[in-house]
Each structure stands twice: as structure tokens, then as C-alpha cells.
Amino acid sequence: MSLVLNAVSAIQLCAGCTIEFEPVDTLGATEDPAGVGLFADVLKVGDQGYLVSSEVLGGVVIVYDWEGRYQRELTREGDGPGELRGEPKFARGAGGIVLFEPGSPRLHLYSADLVFTKTIQVAGMVRSVLWDSVAGGWLVSHMAAGEGPDGYRPQLDARILLLDQEGDSIRSGQAGEAGLWHSVWDKIRGAEGTIWTTTGAGMVRVFDRDLGFVDSLQLELPGMDEWNRREHGSGYPAEVNDIRLAPDGSTVWVFAFATVLNVDDLVKELAEAREQGGPPDIERLADTFIYSVRLDPNGLTLVGRDQLDTRVRPLGDGDLAYDLVETPDGNRRVRVGRLRFTKGSG
């Protein structure tokens, strides 16, 4: 089924070290009723296979089996229980699977075997959801209306909500100074119950198991000077989109993505390639940057950085990952593979 079986080239992370993405299989075939867009989100759900969402699918989530064959549509667009207005992100834990639209006040809980359970309403806008094995529940970061410093001007407060396996509230509270959780893109549990968070602009923060601040580190993402002056024809700066424990557990990997062209020119080039009857060179149009960060007794340390010439993202825990491939008919499919980290002698 695989469309491509080759290792994507990588540059050195450290002396003699590389990270490679080795594609193994492709989700879906060209005759399937739906493909994905440029920004797919993927979840591996064990024996059930994979869930896929993207900007072109909107509120519809596609289910593929473990061999990558199209199965069905899990959701539909709408405002009812279990229905979505836009493409969701996924969180998986012992309590099942949560689908959520960042910026929406709703969470949709499914069982591990993909049966809809209920829709949960929270105050304000959901930013991220994490299954917290330490607390045994869903850790939700969201923005809720609060009182401004002058006592009457409204503002959005960063809040933390802990739900049990069934989605019922256990406790909630303000995130407070130590986190600026409102800007958090993703978060994970690290060693000894620590919580690692990252922002889109590359600020990595670590908290202890009681949400006490430990340390922070600002990553120097490529193109950061372009954040305030995105000129026509130039690429967008790299933006963090994932944070994961390295497969060996020794460090944390932060994933950032950047397009070589701005969005308008990127869409135009993709369309021109389709008109010419062939797939565009996606590897030439986008790059993934992987930063390896370690928590030492003295604080956070940047171990190194690697670069892949395609949009690779981690897929759950361990070394699984995915990217997108353009098919000859102009559609896009998800490739599932593994991240291979090779240590050198230096």
C-alpha cells in the first residue's frame, strides 16, 4: 500500500547524530472518498487503527484501520452532541478519546472503541487537552472570562480544569503567573511528574507535579525576525506544533514547522503542479525542525537541533510519526512511519 518507502534526509543534530523519518505505510488509497489537506492531525487508536482530521475535512473525522484502509466517517458537521464545526485535535487516555476544536468551549468524549459518549461544555475557549496519568484524568487548559485589573474591564484568564475518566469535573483553578498557559500550544508529562509546555513561538516551560514553575527556555526558531514583518514572497517563520518525550526518554523533542513560501504562494504552486499533471515537490516547500531539550539540575538545556525536509509530526508516544504525501491525482495522503535517532561518535 505504501506510496513511498525511503528515508527522508536529515542534517546533524550533534556530532555524527541524525534523526530520520522512515515511512512504513500510507493511510488510504486514491479511490477513497476523501483525502487530507495541508494540515492533518492524526491519532493512533490501537487495534481500531487511526483517526484523521484536516482543514479540508472540516468537522468530519475519517477512520482508517490498522492497515491504512478507509473505514468510515466518525463525526459530522453541526452543533449537536458529538458534532463539530471545524477540524478537531485529539487526545487519548485511559478514559477513551477526546475530540476538541481549539477555541471552542466543547469537548467530545468517545470510548476506546470509538463509540460517542457525551459532549462536555467548559467555560470559555479550550486550548489543549492532555490525558494526565498522574492525576488519572483529563487536564484541560482553557480561557475563561475574568475581571480586569481596574475591576470592571473584562479579560480572559488562563484556567486549568481536571476531569475524571468519564469527563466529570474534579477540580479547576486559575493557571496563574507561573505558566502563561493561555499561550500554550501543547504539553506533556515528563520525568518525576513534571509538566512540559511550549508556545507556538518556541517558549518551553517546565512545572513540577504541583504546577510550580521550574524553568523556561526560549528556542531560537528559524525566521523569528519575520513574525512582525511577513513580506510577500517570503516564507513564514517556524512555529512549534508538537512536544514529545524522545523515544529513549532522555530528552524532550520540540517540533516546529515552516513553509518556504507564504500561504498564498504555497497554495498557488500546489495548484500549478496539479494542472501540469504531477505532484508538487512538497519536500522543497516545507521543513520540520526538531529541538532536543533536557532538564538538568541547573535548568533547561538545548542539546541540539535537527531538520527534516518535510512536515513530520509525532504520532502518539514512542517513535511513531507521520507526514503527508501528494498522490499523482493531486490528492494528499498520510504516511505513517518511525523516527530513527542515530547517535554518532562525537
Side-chain angles (χ1 to χ4, degrees):
M1 175 182 288
S2 299
L3 298 180
V4 180
L5 276 172
N6 67 317
V8 179
S9 61
I11 64 174
Q12 289 190 339
L13 176 69
C14 57
C17 298
T18 59
I19 295 177
E20 293 183 340
F21 173 61
E22 299 176 352
V24 174
D25 216 341
T26 302
L27 304 186
T30 56
E31 63 270 19
D32 284 349
V36 298
L38 287 172
F39 305 103
D41 206 64
V42 183
L43 177 71
K44 189 176 187 300
V45 287
D47 294 339
Q48 297 292 319
Y50 302 89
L51 302 182
V52 177
S53 70
S54 80
E55 80 281 3
V56 300
L57 296 175
V60 176
V61 173
I62 302 296
V63 181
Y64 296 92
D65 69 15
W66 65 275
E67 292 184 331
R69 296 172 298 202
Y70 173 88
Q71 296 298 296
R72 62 189 173 98
E73 295 180 356
L74 179 68
T75 62
R76 63 183 181 183
E77 292 188 330
D79 297 313
E83 295 178 343
L84 304 160
R85 278 297 175 190
E87 68 274 18
K89 294 186 176 298
F90 309 117
R92 184 185 181 203
I97 297 166
V98 167
L99 278 59
F100 65 100
E101 302 165 74
S104 166
R106 301 194 305 164
L107 309 173
H108 307 280
L109 183 61
Y110 284 75
S111 65
D113 54 358
L114 302 183
V115 175
F116 172 69
T117 302
K118 65 180 177 181
T119 293
I120 305 161
Q121 192 87 12
V122 303
M125 303 178 295
V126 176
R127 300 307 300 264
S128 62
V129 179
L130 167 74
W131 172 256
D132 188 356
S133 57
V134 175
W138 303 101
L139 190 62
V140 180
S141 60
H142 63 115
M143 299 293 295
E147 190 177 85
D150 52 10
Y152 65 88
R153 184 182 302 162
Q155 68 177 20
L156 291 178
D157 291 336
R159 296 179 180 270
I160 298 294
L161 175 64
L162 181 63
L163 307 175
D164 64 17
Q165 291 191 27
E166 288 72 38
D168 296 322
S169 177
I170 298 177
R171 65 175 182 270
S172 63
Q174 290 185 315
E177 243 279 346
L180 301 176
W181 290 80
H182 64 280
S183 58
V184 169
W185 178 269
D186 205 355
K187 55 185 178 293
I188 60 170
R189 281 282 185 178
E192 299 180 355
T194 55
I195 297 178
W196 293 61
T197 74
T198 183
T199 69
M203 174 62 75
V204 179
R205 295 185 177 93
V206 180
F207 305 84
D208 61 27
R209 64 174 60 244
D210 298 318
L211 300 183
F213 178 72
V214 176
D215 197 17
S216 64
L217 176 67
Q218 176 64 58
L219 301 177
E220 295 184 10
L221 304 180
M224 286 297 291
D225 57 343
E226 296 292 330
W227 275 105
N228 295 319
R229 57 179 187 87
R230 295 179 175 179
E231 299 175 357
H232 180 73
S234 63
Y236 275 56
E239 183 172 357
V240 170
N241 52 19
D242 279 294
I243 180 171
R244 292 290 189 275
L245 285 174
D248 65 1
S250 62
T251 62
V252 165
W253 285 357
V254 180
F255 291 74
F257 170 76
T259 58
V260 177
L261 304 175
N262 63 36
V263 172
D264 291 340
D265 290 341
L266 177 62
V267 172
K268 180 180 178 181
E269 182 150 341
L270 292 174
E272 290 176 351
R274 284 193 291 271
E275 291 176 359
Q276 296 170 3
D281 185 2
I282 293 182
E283 293 185 355
R284 185 180 63 80
L285 300 178
D287 294 303
T288 295
F289 300 89
I290 304 177
Y291 297 82
S292 182
V293 181
R294 183 176 61 226
L295 180 60
D296 294 325
N298 293 327
L300 290 174
T301 300
L302 178 64
V303 179
R305 190 195 80 170
D306 200 353
Q307 180 179 345
L308 300 173
D309 53 4
T310 186
R311 189 173 192 260
V312 175
R313 298 186 65 178
L315 182 52
D317 299 326
D319 60 355
L320 280 179
Y322 70 93
D323 75 345
L324 303 181
V325 61
E326 190 95 0
T327 60
D329 65 350
N331 211 339
R332 297 184 188 88
R333 297 292 166 189
V334 175
R335 294 190 302 185
V336 175
R338 297 189 178 279
L339 289 171
R340 299 299 189 191
F341 176 65
T342 303
K343 295 183 179 180
S345 57

